[in-house]
Amino acid sequence: MANTQTALKEAMTSIEGSLGAALVDYSSGMALGTVGGGKELDLTVAAAGNTDVVRAKVRTMEQLGLQDTIEDILITLGTQYHLIRLLKGRDSQGLFLYLALDKNRANLAMARHQLRKIETELEV
């Protein structure tokens, strides 16, 4: 089992094109850990903003009466992918992994696969 920092570092090193990664509590909007980013990608701001995205989708699913779960949310920009993966474990309710990728260097399918693997190894 990996702790937060170890899991985020693994995301940065094992996923081609990674620009930054964060573990976020979407009930508060706070990043519990971040790796990467920089002045071009403020992960604290991204964590808070993507919390609104997750909350909106959860609320919409409730309004639609959908009895399903969100695996991940993909936001495609001109030069980047932003991947939000909601965690499923009993101790990780209300958390998501956030990963920003360089669109020219990343393989989205492999990034999703690797992020899923990192999720299973994460101990919160």
Side-chain angles (χ1 to χ4, degrees), residues 72-114:
D72 51 39
I73 299 169
L74 172 64
I75 300 167
T76 306
L77 305 177
T79 61
Q80 297 177 0
Y81 293 124
H82 290 221
L83 190 56
I84 300 166
R85 178 153 188 91
L86 278 71
L87 303 185
K88 303 283 189 273
R90 180 177 54 101
D91 295 332
S92 59
Q93 290 288 26
L95 301 178
F96 67 86
L97 285 168
Y98 167 72
L99 180 65
L101 300 160
D102 180 322
K103 198 172 179 181
N104 292 322
R105 296 184 308 132
N107 177 321
L108 186 55
M110 287 302 296
R112 289 183 69 220
H113 174 74
Q114 195 65 21

Side-chain angles (χ1 to χ4, degrees), residues 40-56:
E40 309 276 313
L41 178 63
D42 184 331
L43 291 171
T44 305
V45 172
N50 285 304
T51 292
D52 292 336
V53 171
V54 171
R55 287 178 186 160

Side-chain angles (χ1 to χ4, degrees), residues 23-41:
L23 177 66
V24 183
D25 175 355
Y26 70 82
S27 59
S28 68
M30 298 295 294
L32 304 178
T34 62
V35 174
K39 59 184 172 184
E40 309 276 313
L41 178 63

